[in-house]
Amino acid sequence: MMRRLALAALVSLWPALAPAQQAQKPVLLHAAGSLKNALTEVSKAFAASAGIPVTTSFRPSGLLREALAKGEPAEVFASANMDHPLALAKDGKAAPVVLFVRNETCAFARPGLDVTSNTLLARMLDPKVKLGTSTPKADPSGDYAWQVFAKAEKLKTGARAALEAKALQLVGGPNSAPTPPDRNGTGHLLATGAADLFLGYCTNADPIAREQPGIRMVRLPANLLVGADYGLTVMNGASPNAYRLAMFILSPDGQRILARHGFVAPALPREGN
């Protein structure tokens, strides 16, 4: 119900159609790095169907929120959590926020590391195992990893402090080393030995399998599982075409593309409807 109300509010703010002479001006899309492959494909499909180009910028959601709050030009913001776009909306900088896809946290293990869902916590706590994460606050993936650590405390006293102390915050921060172009960051870190285990989004599975087939994804057990709700908003002052892009992302065509990239797409109609 809340999602439908937010979507209705977003649609109600959709301006009148842009004049024809403005139709070719690119829409500025800022989105979480975990959405790069999916929203690049969505943007191409939108450009092909609507004749409107899209200029994309993919960065950690927390860093994007800081940039947008400081006035970096942007029109559509797709975040890997709800908090960052909600903060912009609360400050009067953006429209109501819509939950548009979901993700989950998984563990990824380097080749040769013996680990299963049942032994995952013990492996994460093993002093000999290098545990990689993204950077909390700057990147929601890091925040979700810290939520996993908080759940671990309920299973083993002292686990939270131990995991927070040993976690290597390897990506997603303002000073993190860049990932080579066209490479998945998690897969690259595991392949180069920077980490033995990495807590990241389950949607990394397909690109890692293509680039580094020896790396395995390990599902978190139910008592450690952490989900991720992704939020979409349109910035104040955005063009009418920005609203068209936002609605395309929420449309069945956009949601199918996101689903093909491993996201749970809540706006997809049920089969048979």
Side-chain angles (χ1 to χ4, degrees), residues 1-45:
M1 176 63 72
M2 290 185 65
R3 182 183 180 280
R4 290 198 295 270
L5 290 174
L7 178 56
L10 180 60
V11 172
S12 72
L13 296 175
W14 193 352
L17 290 177
Q21 64 268 26
Q22 296 181 7
Q24 296 303 314
K25 186 175 181 181
V27 176
L28 304 179
L29 170 63
H30 287 55
S34 56
L35 290 162
K36 183 175 181 179
N37 292 339
L39 285 189
T40 294
E41 184 178 344
V42 169
S43 297
K44 290 178 179 177

mmCIF file of all heavy atoms in Angstrom, residues 1-45:
data_model
loop_
_atom_site.group_PDB
_atom_site.id
_atom_site.type_symbol
_atom_site.label_atom_id
_atom_site.label_comp_id
_atom_site.label_asym_id
_atom_site.label_seq_id
_atom_site.Cartn_x
_atom_site.Cartn_y
_atom_site.Cartn_z
ATOM 1 N N MET A 1 0.823 -1.199 0.000
ATOM 2 C CA MET A 1 0.000 0.000 0.000
ATOM 3 C C MET A 1 0.863 1.259 0.000
ATOM 4 O O MET A 1 0.627 2.190 -0.770
ATOM 5 C CB MET A 1 -0.937 -0.009 1.220
ATOM 6 C CG MET A 1 -1.768 1.281 1.344
ATOM 7 S SD MET A 1 -2.888 1.544 -0.056
ATOM 8 C CE MET A 1 -4.096 0.291 0.287
ATOM 9 N N MET A 2 1.904 1.296 0.861
ATOM 10 C CA MET A 2 2.758 2.483 0.928
ATOM 11 C C MET A 2 3.479 2.695 -0.389
ATOM 12 O O MET A 2 3.656 3.822 -0.838
ATOM 13 C CB MET A 2 3.762 2.354 2.074
ATOM 14 C CG MET A 2 3.143 2.440 3.445
ATOM 15 S SD MET A 2 4.369 2.430 4.754
ATOM 16 C CE MET A 2 5.214 3.984 4.434
ATOM 17 N N ARG A 3 3.883 1.574 -1.039
ATOM 18 C CA ARG A 3 4.571 1.714 -2.315
ATOM 19 C C ARG A 3 3.628 2.323 -3.354
ATOM 20 O O ARG A 3 4.015 3.173 -4.140
ATOM 21 C CB ARG A 3 5.089 0.350 -2.794
ATOM 22 C CG ARG A 3 5.853 0.457 -4.087
ATOM 23 C CD ARG A 3 6.304 -0.909 -4.595
ATOM 24 N NE ARG A 3 7.029 -0.721 -5.824
ATOM 25 C CZ ARG A 3 6.459 -0.526 -7.010
ATOM 26 N NH1 ARG A 3 5.151 -0.503 -7.105
ATOM 27 N NH2 ARG A 3 7.186 -0.351 -8.091
ATOM 28 N N ARG A 4 2.369 1.882 -3.384
ATOM 29 C CA ARG A 4 1.412 2.416 -4.346
ATOM 30 C C ARG A 4 1.166 3.897 -4.104
ATOM 31 O O ARG A 4 1.040 4.685 -5.043
ATOM 32 C CB ARG A 4 0.105 1.632 -4.283
ATOM 33 C CG ARG A 4 0.210 0.206 -4.819
ATOM 34 C CD ARG A 4 -1.166 -0.350 -5.143
ATOM 35 N NE ARG A 4 -1.985 -0.482 -3.954
ATOM 36 C CZ ARG A 4 -2.021 -1.570 -3.198
ATOM 37 N NH1 ARG A 4 -1.249 -2.607 -3.482
ATOM 38 N NH2 ARG A 4 -2.810 -1.631 -2.143
ATOM 39 N N LEU A 5 1.098 4.307 -2.831
ATOM 40 C CA LEU A 5 0.879 5.712 -2.520
ATOM 41 C C LEU A 5 2.064 6.561 -2.968
ATOM 42 O O LEU A 5 1.896 7.650 -3.517
ATOM 43 C CB LEU A 5 0.645 5.884 -1.013
ATOM 44 C CG LEU A 5 -0.672 5.332 -0.475
ATOM 45 C CD1 LEU A 5 -0.704 5.434 1.043
ATOM 46 C CD2 LEU A 5 -1.854 6.073 -1.079
ATOM 47 N N ALA A 6 3.285 6.046 -2.739
ATOM 48 C CA ALA A 6 4.474 6.798 -3.161
ATOM 49 C C ALA A 6 4.517 6.911 -4.674
ATOM 50 O O ALA A 6 4.860 7.959 -5.228
ATOM 51 C CB ALA A 6 5.734 6.109 -2.639
ATOM 52 N N LEU A 7 4.169 5.826 -5.379
ATOM 53 C CA LEU A 7 4.160 5.860 -6.833
ATOM 54 C C LEU A 7 3.126 6.853 -7.335
ATOM 55 O O LEU A 7 3.383 7.626 -8.263
ATOM 56 C CB LEU A 7 3.877 4.467 -7.378
ATOM 57 C CG LEU A 7 3.781 4.326 -8.908
ATOM 58 C CD1 LEU A 7 5.053 4.840 -9.556
ATOM 59 C CD2 LEU A 7 3.525 2.873 -9.283
ATOM 60 N N ALA A 8 1.953 6.861 -6.712
ATOM 61 C CA ALA A 8 0.917 7.813 -7.113
ATOM 62 C C ALA A 8 1.383 9.250 -6.908
ATOM 63 O O ALA A 8 1.124 10.126 -7.739
ATOM 64 C CB ALA A 8 -0.363 7.549 -6.319
ATOM 65 N N ALA A 9 2.097 9.475 -5.806
ATOM 66 C CA ALA A 9 2.608 10.816 -5.549
ATOM 67 C C ALA A 9 3.646 11.218 -6.587
ATOM 68 O O ALA A 9 3.673 12.359 -7.056
ATOM 69 C CB ALA A 9 3.218 10.882 -4.148
ATOM 70 N N LEU A 10 4.490 10.268 -6.974
ATOM 71 C CA LEU A 10 5.499 10.542 -7.988
ATOM 72 C C LEU A 10 4.829 10.870 -9.322
ATOM 73 O O LEU A 10 5.195 11.837 -9.995
ATOM 74 C CB LEU A 10 6.425 9.342 -8.145
ATOM 75 C CG LEU A 10 7.554 9.445 -9.176
ATOM 76 C CD1 LEU A 10 8.467 10.604 -8.830
ATOM 77 C CD2 LEU A 10 8.346 8.149 -9.234
ATOM 78 N N VAL A 11 3.841 10.092 -9.705
ATOM 79 C CA VAL A 11 3.142 10.331 -10.970
ATOM 80 C C VAL A 11 2.441 11.683 -10.948
ATOM 81 O O VAL A 11 2.406 12.400 -11.957
ATOM 82 C CB VAL A 11 2.135 9.193 -11.241
ATOM 83 C CG1 VAL A 11 1.267 9.515 -12.451
ATOM 84 C CG2 VAL A 11 2.873 7.881 -11.466
ATOM 85 N N SER A 12 1.906 12.069 -9.791
ATOM 86 C CA SER A 12 1.182 13.334 -9.708
ATOM 87 C C SER A 12 2.079 14.530 -9.958
ATOM 88 O O SER A 12 1.606 15.609 -10.325
ATOM 89 C CB SER A 12 0.524 13.471 -8.325
ATOM 90 O OG SER A 12 1.507 13.717 -7.327
ATOM 91 N N LEU A 13 3.399 14.340 -9.765
ATOM 92 C CA LEU A 13 4.336 15.430 -9.983
ATOM 93 C C LEU A 13 4.867 15.478 -11.407
ATOM 94 O O LEU A 13 5.637 16.361 -11.753
ATOM 95 C CB LEU A 13 5.516 15.289 -9.005
ATOM 96 C CG LEU A 13 5.166 15.419 -7.537
ATOM 97 C CD1 LEU A 13 6.388 15.145 -6.684
ATOM 98 C CD2 LEU A 13 4.619 16.804 -7.224
ATOM 99 N N TRP A 14 4.471 14.522 -12.238
ATOM 100 C CA TRP A 14 4.961 14.441 -13.615
ATOM 101 C C TRP A 14 4.512 15.685 -14.375
ATOM 102 O O TRP A 14 3.328 15.920 -14.558
ATOM 103 C CB TRP A 14 4.390 13.192 -14.272
ATOM 104 C CG TRP A 14 5.044 12.800 -15.575
ATOM 105 C CD1 TRP A 14 5.964 13.495 -16.290
ATOM 106 C CD2 TRP A 14 4.792 11.605 -16.307
ATOM 107 N NE1 TRP A 14 6.318 12.805 -17.412
ATOM 108 C CE2 TRP A 14 5.608 11.639 -17.452
ATOM 109 C CE3 TRP A 14 3.956 10.503 -16.103
ATOM 110 C CZ2 TRP A 14 5.616 10.628 -18.401
ATOM 111 C CZ3 TRP A 14 3.966 9.497 -17.043
ATOM 112 C CH2 TRP A 14 4.776 9.555 -18.166
ATOM 113 N N PRO A 15 5.452 16.516 -14.846
ATOM 114 C CA PRO A 15 5.068 17.729 -15.559
ATOM 115 C C PRO A 15 4.465 17.392 -16.917
ATOM 116 O O PRO A 15 4.462 16.257 -17.380
ATOM 117 C CB PRO A 15 6.400 18.480 -15.719
ATOM 118 C CG PRO A 15 7.354 17.822 -14.775
ATOM 119 C CD PRO A 15 6.890 16.411 -14.645
ATOM 120 N N ALA A 16 3.971 18.454 -17.579
ATOM 121 C CA ALA A 16 3.471 18.292 -18.944
ATOM 122 C C ALA A 16 4.604 17.875 -19.861
ATOM 123 O O ALA A 16 5.787 18.063 -19.549
ATOM 124 C CB ALA A 16 2.861 19.607 -19.424
ATOM 125 N N LEU A 17 4.268 17.279 -20.990
ATOM 126 C CA LEU A 17 5.288 16.819 -21.915
ATOM 127 C C LEU A 17 6.187 17.961 -22.349
ATOM 128 O O LEU A 17 5.746 19.097 -22.527
ATOM 129 C CB LEU A 17 4.623 16.187 -23.153
ATOM 130 C CG LEU A 17 3.919 14.850 -22.905
ATOM 131 C CD1 LEU A 17 3.248 14.382 -24.188
ATOM 132 C CD2 LEU A 17 4.901 13.810 -22.419
ATOM 133 N N ALA A 18 7.466 17.653 -22.542
ATOM 134 C CA ALA A 18 8.446 18.665 -22.923
ATOM 135 C C ALA A 18 8.208 19.113 -24.355
ATOM 136 O O ALA A 18 7.711 18.361 -25.186
ATOM 137 C CB ALA A 18 9.850 18.079 -22.798
ATOM 138 N N PRO A 19 8.571 20.363 -24.662
ATOM 139 C CA PRO A 19 8.495 20.819 -26.046
ATOM 140 C C PRO A 19 9.379 19.961 -26.933
ATOM 141 O O PRO A 19 10.377 19.400 -26.492
ATOM 142 C CB PRO A 19 9.026 22.259 -25.957
ATOM 143 C CG PRO A 19 8.859 22.660 -24.523
ATOM 144 C CD PRO A 19 9.014 21.407 -23.733
ATOM 145 N N ALA A 20 9.012 19.874 -28.201
ATOM 146 C CA ALA A 20 9.730 18.997 -29.116
ATOM 147 C C ALA A 20 11.200 19.351 -29.205
ATOM 148 O O ALA A 20 12.053 18.476 -29.333
ATOM 149 C CB ALA A 20 9.078 19.069 -30.499
ATOM 150 N N GLN A 21 11.533 20.668 -29.138
ATOM 151 C CA GLN A 21 12.927 21.046 -29.284
ATOM 152 C C GLN A 21 13.792 20.593 -28.119
ATOM 153 O O GLN A 21 15.013 20.591 -28.216
ATOM 154 C CB GLN A 21 13.053 22.573 -29.456
ATOM 155 C CG GLN A 21 12.594 23.388 -28.244
ATOM 156 C CD GLN A 21 11.134 23.782 -28.337
ATOM 157 O OE1 GLN A 21 10.370 23.087 -29.005
ATOM 158 N NE2 GLN A 21 10.751 24.876 -27.717
ATOM 159 N N GLN A 22 13.177 20.185 -26.993
ATOM 160 C CA GLN A 22 13.925 19.715 -25.849
ATOM 161 C C GLN A 22 13.988 18.190 -25.770
ATOM 162 O O GLN A 22 14.594 17.635 -24.875
ATOM 163 C CB GLN A 22 13.306 20.259 -24.556
ATOM 164 C CG GLN A 22 13.373 21.775 -24.440
ATOM 165 C CD GLN A 22 12.779 22.266 -23.138
ATOM 166 O OE1 GLN A 22 12.441 21.480 -22.276
ATOM 167 N NE2 GLN A 22 12.648 23.576 -23.004
ATOM 168 N N ALA A 23 13.343 17.525 -26.722
ATOM 169 C CA ALA A 23 13.177 16.077 -26.609
ATOM 170 C C ALA A 23 14.497 15.330 -26.625
ATOM 171 O O ALA A 23 14.611 14.257 -26.051
ATOM 172 C CB ALA A 23 12.278 15.566 -27.734
ATOM 173 N N GLN A 24 15.530 15.879 -27.289
ATOM 174 C CA GLN A 24 16.783 15.161 -27.423
ATOM 175 C C GLN A 24 17.791 15.482 -26.317
ATOM 176 O O GLN A 24 18.885 14.948 -26.319
ATOM 177 C CB GLN A 24 17.404 15.463 -28.792
ATOM 178 C CG GLN A 24 16.579 14.969 -29.974
ATOM 179 C CD GLN A 24 16.309 13.484 -29.901
ATOM 180 O OE1 GLN A 24 17.209 12.690 -29.622
ATOM 181 N NE2 GLN A 24 15.075 13.085 -30.142
ATOM 182 N N LYS A 25 17.451 16.348 -25.391
ATOM 183 C CA LYS A 25 18.368 16.664 -24.304
ATOM 184 C C LYS A 25 18.502 15.444 -23.396
ATOM 185 O O LYS A 25 17.499 14.890 -22.937
ATOM 186 C CB LYS A 25 17.859 17.857 -23.505
ATOM 187 C CG LYS A 25 18.850 18.328 -22.445
ATOM 188 C CD LYS A 25 18.341 19.581 -21.760
ATOM 189 C CE LYS A 25 19.334 20.065 -20.713
ATOM 190 N NZ LYS A 25 18.840 21.290 -20.017
ATOM 191 N N PRO A 26 19.730 14.975 -23.117
ATOM 192 C CA PRO A 26 19.879 13.742 -22.310
ATOM 193 C C PRO A 26 19.310 13.898 -20.905
ATOM 194 O O PRO A 26 19.437 14.954 -20.273
ATOM 195 C CB PRO A 26 21.399 13.535 -22.266
ATOM 196 C CG PRO A 26 21.934 14.297 -23.434
ATOM 197 C CD PRO A 26 21.026 15.481 -23.586
ATOM 198 N N VAL A 27 18.704 12.835 -20.424
ATOM 199 C CA VAL A 27 18.269 12.759 -19.028
ATOM 200 C C VAL A 27 19.477 12.361 -18.190
ATOM 201 O O VAL A 27 20.246 11.468 -18.563
ATOM 202 C CB VAL A 27 17.140 11.726 -18.859
ATOM 203 C CG1 VAL A 27 16.765 11.583 -17.388
ATOM 204 C CG2 VAL A 27 15.922 12.122 -19.682
ATOM 205 N N LEU A 28 19.654 13.002 -17.042
ATOM 206 C CA LEU A 28 20.789 12.728 -16.161
ATOM 207 C C LEU A 28 20.373 11.700 -15.116
ATOM 208 O O LEU A 28 19.590 12.002 -14.212
ATOM 209 C CB LEU A 28 21.269 14.015 -15.478
ATOM 210 C CG LEU A 28 21.658 15.164 -16.416
ATOM 211 C CD1 LEU A 28 22.095 16.375 -15.594
ATOM 212 C CD2 LEU A 28 22.763 14.738 -17.368
ATOM 213 N N LEU A 29 20.890 10.490 -15.246
ATOM 214 C CA LEU A 29 20.581 9.394 -14.320
ATOM 215 C C LEU A 29 21.780 9.124 -13.430
ATOM 216 O O LEU A 29 22.870 8.810 -13.914
ATOM 217 C CB LEU A 29 20.221 8.131 -15.106
ATOM 218 C CG LEU A 29 20.102 6.825 -14.305
ATOM 219 C CD1 LEU A 29 18.970 6.906 -13.286
ATOM 220 C CD2 LEU A 29 19.893 5.637 -15.242
ATOM 221 N N HIS A 30 21.585 9.241 -12.129
ATOM 222 C CA HIS A 30 22.606 8.899 -11.137
ATOM 223 C C HIS A 30 22.141 7.641 -10.412
ATOM 224 O O HIS A 30 21.006 7.592 -9.914
ATOM 225 C CB HIS A 30 22.795 10.031 -10.125
ATOM 226 C CG HIS A 30 23.513 11.219 -10.678
ATOM 227 N ND1 HIS A 30 23.086 11.882 -11.801
ATOM 228 C CD2 HIS A 30 24.630 11.876 -10.260
ATOM 229 C CE1 HIS A 30 23.906 12.902 -12.051
ATOM 230 N NE2 HIS A 30 24.853 12.907 -11.132
ATOM 231 N N ALA A 31 23.004 6.631 -10.347
ATOM 232 C CA ALA A 31 22.557 5.350 -9.794
ATOM 233 C C ALA A 31 23.687 4.623 -9.086
ATOM 234 O O ALA A 31 24.873 4.856 -9.346
ATOM 235 C CB ALA A 31 21.987 4.469 -10.908
ATOM 236 N N ALA A 32 23.280 3.728 -8.190
ATOM 237 C CA ALA A 32 24.225 2.897 -7.440
ATOM 238 C C ALA A 32 25.053 2.039 -8.393
ATOM 239 O O ALA A 32 24.575 1.588 -9.438
ATOM 240 C CB ALA A 32 23.458 1.998 -6.471
ATOM 241 N N GLY A 33 26.301 1.787 -7.994
ATOM 242 C CA GLY A 33 27.180 0.975 -8.822
ATOM 243 C C GLY A 33 26.644 -0.417 -9.080
ATOM 244 O O GLY A 33 26.884 -0.998 -10.143
ATOM 245 N N SER A 34 25.900 -0.966 -8.124
ATOM 246 C CA SER A 34 25.347 -2.316 -8.300
ATOM 247 C C SER A 34 24.287 -2.365 -9.393
ATOM 248 O O SER A 34 23.912 -3.448 -9.850
ATOM 249 C CB SER A 34 24.755 -2.829 -6.983
ATOM 250 O OG SER A 34 23.779 -1.933 -6.484
ATOM 251 N N LEU A 35 23.815 -1.199 -9.826
ATOM 252 C CA LEU A 35 22.801 -1.127 -10.871
ATOM 253 C C LEU A 35 23.393 -0.870 -12.251
ATOM 254 O O LEU A 35 22.651 -0.742 -13.230
ATOM 255 C CB LEU A 35 21.801 -0.007 -10.550
ATOM 256 C CG LEU A 35 20.860 -0.259 -9.370
ATOM 257 C CD1 LEU A 35 20.252 1.054 -8.888
ATOM 258 C CD2 LEU A 35 19.758 -1.232 -9.762
ATOM 259 N N LYS A 36 24.714 -0.807 -12.348
ATOM 260 C CA LYS A 36 25.342 -0.352 -13.595
ATOM 261 C C LYS A 36 24.914 -1.178 -14.797
ATOM 262 O O LYS A 36 24.459 -0.629 -15.814
ATOM 263 C CB LYS A 36 26.860 -0.361 -13.451
ATOM 264 C CG LYS A 36 27.574 0.166 -14.695
ATOM 265 C CD LYS A 36 29.081 0.249 -14.479
ATOM 266 C CE LYS A 36 29.766 0.803 -15.720
ATOM 267 N NZ LYS A 36 31.241 0.921 -15.515
ATOM 268 N N ASN A 37 25.073 -2.483 -14.725
ATOM 269 C CA ASN A 37 24.733 -3.315 -15.878
ATOM 270 C C ASN A 37 23.249 -3.238 -16.207
ATOM 271 O O ASN A 37 22.861 -3.095 -17.371
ATOM 272 C CB ASN A 37 25.143 -4.764 -15.631
ATOM 273 C CG ASN A 37 26.650 -4.948 -15.569
ATOM 274 O OD1 ASN A 37 27.407 -4.114 -16.069
ATOM 275 N ND2 ASN A 37 27.095 -6.023 -14.952
ATOM 276 N N ALA A 38 22.415 -3.325 -15.172
ATOM 277 C CA ALA A 38 20.973 -3.352 -15.394
ATOM 278 C C ALA A 38 20.454 -2.025 -15.924
ATOM 279 O O ALA A 38 19.709 -1.976 -16.909
ATOM 280 C CB ALA A 38 20.255 -3.719 -14.092
ATOM 281 N N LEU A 39 20.834 -0.913 -15.291
ATOM 282 C CA LEU A 39 20.292 0.377 -15.717
ATOM 283 C C LEU A 39 20.955 0.901 -16.983
ATOM 284 O O LEU A 39 20.383 1.748 -17.670
ATOM 285 C CB LEU A 39 20.386 1.397 -14.582
ATOM 286 C CG LEU A 39 19.361 1.214 -13.469
ATOM 287 C CD1 LEU A 39 19.389 2.391 -12.493
ATOM 288 C CD2 LEU A 39 17.940 1.037 -14.023
ATOM 289 N N THR A 40 22.141 0.403 -17.315
ATOM 290 C CA THR A 40 22.697 0.721 -18.628
ATOM 291 C C THR A 40 21.811 0.120 -19.710
ATOM 292 O O THR A 40 21.488 0.774 -20.714
ATOM 293 C CB THR A 40 24.135 0.191 -18.750
ATOM 294 O OG1 THR A 40 24.974 0.894 -17.824
ATOM 295 C CG2 THR A 40 24.676 0.401 -20.161
ATOM 296 N N GLU A 41 21.387 -1.133 -19.503
ATOM 297 C CA GLU A 41 20.490 -1.768 -20.469
ATOM 298 C C GLU A 41 19.131 -1.083 -20.478
ATOM 299 O O GLU A 41 18.533 -0.870 -21.546
ATOM 300 C CB GLU A 41 20.337 -3.254 -20.153
ATOM 301 C CG GLU A 41 19.490 -3.999 -21.182
ATOM 302 C CD GLU A 41 19.369 -5.492 -20.920
ATOM 303 O OE1 GLU A 41 20.180 -6.023 -20.120
ATOM 304 O OE2 GLU A 41 18.472 -6.124 -21.513
ATOM 305 N N VAL A 42 18.610 -0.735 -19.307
ATOM 306 C CA VAL A 42 17.335 -0.020 -19.234
ATOM 307 C C VAL A 42 17.419 1.305 -19.979
ATOM 308 O O VAL A 42 16.507 1.680 -20.739
ATOM 309 C CB VAL A 42 16.925 0.212 -17.765
ATOM 310 C CG1 VAL A 42 15.746 1.185 -17.685
ATOM 311 C CG2 VAL A 42 16.555 -1.098 -17.088
ATOM 312 N N SER A 43 18.521 2.030 -19.778
ATOM 313 C CA SER A 43 18.687 3.333 -20.425
ATOM 314 C C SER A 43 18.720 3.200 -21.946
ATOM 315 O O SER A 43 18.144 4.018 -22.675
ATOM 316 C CB SER A 43 19.975 4.004 -19.933
ATOM 317 O OG SER A 43 19.902 4.269 -18.551
ATOM 318 N N LYS A 44 19.386 2.167 -22.443
ATOM 319 C CA LYS A 44 19.435 1.934 -23.887
ATOM 320 C C LYS A 44 18.047 1.586 -24.428
ATOM 321 O O LYS A 44 17.655 2.054 -25.504
ATOM 322 C CB LYS A 44 20.430 0.823 -24.201
ATOM 323 C CG LYS A 44 21.887 1.217 -23.967
ATOM 324 C CD LYS A 44 22.821 0.055 -24.252
ATOM 325 C CE LYS A 44 24.275 0.465 -24.036
ATOM 326 N NZ LYS A 44 25.225 -0.673 -24.244
ATOM 327 N N ALA A 45 17.308 0.778 -23.678
ATOM 328 C CA ALA A 45 15.953 0.424 -24.109
ATOM 329 C C ALA A 45 15.048 1.649 -24.105
ATOM 330 O O ALA A 45 14.221 1.836 -25.014
ATOM 331 C CB ALA A 45 15.381 -0.664 -23.199
#
